[in-house]
Amino acid sequence: MVTYAEPGTLEWIESGGGPLIAVPETVLPFWAGADGDETASDYDRACEVDAAVGLLPVGDGAALVLGDEPASTAYLPVHGVFVRWCAADSEADLLAGVPSALATADWGHEVHWKVPGPVVLFDSAWPGGETERTEHLRVPLTPGTYAVRAAHARPGPETWLILVQLRRLAH
């Protein structure tokens, strides 16, 4: 049986200190990151999200901001969740706690995110057109509208994580 902790199976994305953002591939060129001549850059807008998740307009779409703290983040497609590593002795310990965390999560406010297909998760300070030059993760989402909600969880005495769940809604 394949487990997430096997080398090359799970990729963790980190930021330089600001929020991570998931931008649909179709609008990646419209995300300017910390660049730009405006008084408030796209990165500044992402930093203003005062919640575990939030949506920002990008081109003719929307990006999902993973706010709260700049935790290392991975995507678990089998659960449809971004897992944000707050504290754990090992990746194996963190991932072992995901099922119980999902079962007991006290979910926060839900937002609805319409995506046209795959999204790219990366540090919001980077311009979308330059994601190939930095850590990024392509998440192959099916086009549609997703209910997105987040929860802080502590599945073990030394294990804390944030879950960001994506549930595809029926038409």
Side-chain angles (χ1 to χ4, degrees), residues 91-159:
E91 180 181 71
D93 288 349
L94 183 83
L95 296 174
V98 169
S100 64
L102 284 166
T104 60
D106 183 16
W107 298 103
H109 176 72
E110 184 174 277
V111 297
H112 288 181
W113 183 33
K114 186 174 182 180
V115 296
V119 301
V120 179
L121 179 71
F122 60 100
D123 185 332
S124 60
W126 281 87
E130 296 182 20
T131 55
E132 294 300 322
R133 293 181 36 208
T134 187
E135 284 188 8
H136 67 281
L137 175 66
R138 184 177 187 271
V139 179
L141 296 180
T142 302
T145 301
Y146 289 79
V148 181
R149 59 188 184 169
H152 289 80
R154 191 171 180 171
E158 302 297 323
T159 305

Side-chain angles (χ1 to χ4, degrees), residues 10 12-14 69-74 82-95 158-163:
L10 189 60
W12 293 92
I13 301 300
E14 297 182 352
E69 62 178 80
S72 296
T73 303
F82 287 107
V83 175
R84 312 203 67 209
W85 186 331
C86 298
D89 289 332
S90 69
E91 180 181 71
D93 288 349
L94 183 83
L95 296 174
E158 302 297 323
T159 305
W160 305 329
L161 53 93
I162 300 169
L163 299 170

